Structure formats: structure tokens, C-alpha cells
Amino acid sequence: MEPGSYGPGPDAPGPDAHGAGVPAPDVSALVRELTRRADPARLRQDVEFLADRPRGRIHAPDAMVRAEAHVARRLTEAGWRTERQPFDVRWRPGCTDAPGGARLSPLRFRLHRRLTGANLLAELPEPPEPPERVEPPEPIEPPARPGPAEPGERATVLVGAHLDTVVGSPGADDNASGVAALLEVARLLGGLPRPPAVRLVCFDMEELGCVGARVAARASGGDGRRVAGMLCLESVGCFATAPGTQAMPPGFGAVFPGAAGAVRASGHRGDFVLVVHRRSSDGAAGLWRRAAEVVDPPLPAVTLRDPRPDGPLGALAGLALPPVNHLGRSDHAAYWNAGVPAVLLTTTANFRNPRYHRPTDTPDTLDYERLTAVAVATAATAALWRPPATTRPRRHRR
């Protein structure tokens, strides 16, 4: 059993964790540098600001505007260029944002007649070009046309978290924790000497059925840039070290014996991060796991491969295996369905946190040391994730 880990098990990613032909990065060195600069006090401050009241575009619009302004301000302070991308969609299937448990019950289904919201995107500005040298004139030849993207080249990595809450819950864990981790990722990556190709996305209306993420995922790659994949931060602040604090969905052990065995072997302690991936994101899951092993404090990780393929077929396949549907309960699922590799990082929400979707989901219930470690491991993964050599550039779907 590896340090800070429950062991891979049969559901874990394979040995090719970084793409064939691509050298393995020095994860430890980067994690050490990021850990040195990380600050749990900053994450606590962000969670306390965001989770002092419920927020949502419909049930608490003023609080949502306030929260969005806070996120934009923090990103700008960290050196990121932000862009608000409004959307207006009609007749969208989704769910209610009334308080409750898992969004899988038919009673929670809603067909939304019209929803108007906005995602917040952020990127690091390109470094300035060096001054041009004045050279003697030479014969000018027509420039060669740029060729297709080469396998294994640097591509954009998306890191996302949703900003809204259900009605009546301040949402410290769900999902101020994810947003605070995203802001810390921004600060850590913004301080690197060479800005990585990372885009941050703060999603709207996740609690209504991942509406903002579905809009963003459909537009992914529309600017012609290659997308390596997406990391989703969902409810990442609740940790419990006592035995019996981690539950599992009914039938989970039969479908995912490796992950279930790891949880049982730990005494059902809720002290790990669940890393949910598919075959297309094996590399990122393995990279995050390696980073979590050397972060301070070390984070146990249970990796779990969703057996479904990316794309619409994978979404339909979940109907035959209800336990699998729990693996798509956040914004990463929209990217899976759009054919983009994605990883869900979570402390399992209602399967660990008794305050999930309740007024008691408050900032004093989170573990900020471990939440900071989540942010460090995520920042390292985003900075180092490369698509495998067999990955082809994704075409924009209109």
C-alpha cells in the first residue's frame, strides 16, 4: 500500500499515466514548490465570504452577483484575465434546486422553460513578446501553412467548480470548497515562471442540472485550441477520520469492487478524495494521485474508473447500471457527454457529509489543511497534464 493512498485496485488507472512517448514530469518538485506557497487561511477566507448565505441565479440572485464579483476580483488579483459569458437557454431538462439528496430521483426532474445565467472564465495572459530585432532585408518567402496539432503537445486544461447552492443552504462544502480551491489553483499557477495552458471556469446553475457546464462544454474547443481535458472540483472540503464516516451507494460494491474494497479496508473512514475518471482521463487520474501522495498533508485517494465511454452513448449506458449514475453528479459529466476527457475530484458529498444541502453546511465544518492539499494536487495536475500521443484534436461541435 503506497503512502497517502489506499492502493490502486482494479478500478484504478493503468500504468500509462501520462501518455505514450511523453516523459513523466517531476511531480514531487512542483508539488513541493506549490505547497510552500499555498495558504489555508486564504481558502478559509474565500469559503467564509461565499458561504455566509445561499446563492443562486433564481432563488438568491443578489447573493449570486455578490459571489461572482468576489470570484472575479480574486482571479484578477492573482493575475488572471476574466471573461463573463452569459447564456440564455430554453426548454432544458434538469432538476430542481430545492434542498434534498442525490439529484437522481424522478421527483426532482424539471423541464426548465427558460434559464438566464453566466459562467465566469479566466485565463493567464500571454507573456509579452521580446522586442523585434532589426535585421537587413532578405528575400521574403511565403510562410508555410501551420500543420495539425502534434500528438502529445501542450493543450489547454480546464479546471472548474460551480458557484451556486440549493435553496436555503450556504453551501460551504457544496460548493464554496470547490470554488475556494479553484481560486487557490489560480494563485498558485499564476505565480509560476512560465504560465501553463490552463483555463478556469466557474459554472452557473449546477444545482439545476449542470446547465452552465453543458453550455460551456458544447463550446469547448470552439476557439481552435486543443483541449487536454477537464478537472472538476465538487464538494472537496469535508473530511472525517473516524471509522464508519464513509457510506457507499446501494449496489456500489458489486459494480466497483476495487474502490469499495479500498473503502472497507480503511474502516469506512471518510478521509480520502475520490478521483473519478474514464479511460480517456486515465493519465490525469494517475497524475493527481501521485501529486496527492507527496502533498502536505498527504491525501489518501481512491481512484475509480467509470466504465462508460465518453459521448452520448456513455450517458445512456448509465440507465442500465444505477450506481454508475452517481459518478456523473456534477459538471464534469457535461464534458464527458461532449467527448472531452474529464476527472471528478470529490469528498463524496452526501455519502460523507451529513450537512449536505442543509442550512448547516457552514464554513466551520470544513478541513482547510486538507482542502489546501486538494488545491495543490489539482494545480500540479493541471500544469502537467498532457494528452496521450493517440489523442486527436477535438473538433468543435456546433
Side-chain angles (χ1 to χ4, degrees):
M1 193 175 295
E2 299 168 330
S5 170
Y6 289 145
D11 307 319
D16 180 14
H18 199 61
V22 181
D26 188 353
V27 179
S28 298
L30 179 57
V31 168
R32 284 194 298 270
E33 170 60 21
L34 298 180
T35 300
R36 185 183 63 79
R37 295 194 285 109
D39 185 359
R42 291 191 300 228
L43 284 94
R44 178 185 282 273
Q45 187 179 48
D46 286 327
V47 170
E48 288 177 344
F49 183 94
L50 294 170
D52 74 334
R53 66 194 73 180
R55 53 199 179 275
R57 203 67 70 179
I58 296 175
H59 64 81
D62 291 344
M64 192 66 179
V65 170
R66 172 180 176 269
E68 186 182 303
H70 175 80
V71 172
R73 183 170 60 252
R74 288 289 200 235
L75 290 170
T76 301
E77 290 170 353
W80 293 68
R81 183 176 57 240
T82 63
E83 178 186 356
R84 190 175 189 269
Q85 292 197 338
F87 58 82
D88 186 341
V89 297
R90 298 171 186 266
W91 301 112
R92 290 297 170 94
C95 59
T96 173
D97 58 1
R103 296 188 303 278
L104 302 177
S105 166
L107 298 177
R108 296 182 63 80
F109 176 81
R110 292 290 184 278
L111 181 62
H112 299 291
R113 181 179 177 183
R114 182 176 184 179
L115 293 171
T116 303
N119 296 321
L120 187 65
L121 278 67
E123 289 184 296
L124 287 167
E126 292 289 333
E129 293 288 334
E132 274 191 44
R133 293 181 58 191
V134 179
E135 300 286 351
E138 292 183 359
I140 299 175
E141 296 182 5
R145 270 192 187 180
E150 290 297 322
E153 73 174 18
R154 190 67 176 108
T156 301
V157 175
L158 312 175
V159 182
H162 74 87
L163 187 56
D164 58 317
T165 73
V166 296
V167 176
S169 175
D173 187 37
D174 185 18
N175 187 40
S177 67
V179 176
L182 181 143
L183 293 177
E184 189 68 0
V185 168
R187 288 183 284 253
L188 295 174
L189 295 184
L192 293 178
R194 183 180 179 185
V198 174
R199 178 180 293 177
L200 307 178
V201 192
C202 205
F203 297 112
D204 200 355
M205 298 186 181
E206 189 269 355
E207 300 291 358
L208 293 174
C210 302
V211 177
R214 286 149 67 185
V215 171
R218 280 196 302 275
S220 182
D223 54 5
R225 286 186 295 181
R226 197 165 182 233
V227 178
M230 183 263 191
L231 299 166
C232 178
L233 293 157
E234 170 64 63
S235 302
V236 286
C238 181
F239 292 85
T241 57
T245 49
Q246 182 66 54
M248 292 186 286
F252 187 79
V255 181
F256 302 108
V263 174
R264 284 193 295 267
S266 76
H268 288 265
R269 287 178 169 83
D271 62 349
F272 62 89
V273 174
L274 182 65
V275 183
V276 181
H277 63 101
R278 286 184 173 172
R279 182 177 294 276
S280 62
S281 48
D282 270 358
L287 190 55
W288 197 94
R289 183 190 183 92
R290 294 202 302 277
E293 290 169 359
V294 295
V295 80
D296 184 20
L299 283 173
V302 172
T303 48
L304 174 58
R305 179 189 281 175
D306 185 320
R308 296 173 292 177
D310 290 342
L313 182 61
L316 293 174
L319 300 176
L321 289 171
V324 175
N325 282 325
H326 284 287
L327 307 184
R329 281 175 47 194
S330 194
D331 297 309
H332 65 291
Y335 287 85
W336 279 348
N337 295 342
V340 177
V343 175
L344 169 65
L345 305 166
T346 182
T347 54
T348 75
N350 55 299
F351 296 106
R352 180 181 306 175
N353 190 347
R355 299 165 293 276
Y356 174 76
H357 281 189
R358 297 179 181 272
T360 49
D361 185 9
T362 53
D364 58 298
T365 62
L366 302 190
D367 184 327
Y368 292 97
E369 293 290 336
R370 288 183 172 88
L371 178 57
T372 304
V374 170
V376 168
T378 303
T381 302
L384 298 174
W385 187 358
R386 305 289 192 276
T390 53
T391 299
R392 294 184 178 179
R394 179 181 175 274
R395 294 183 182 275
H396 177 49
R397 299 180 182 182
R398 298 190 179 275

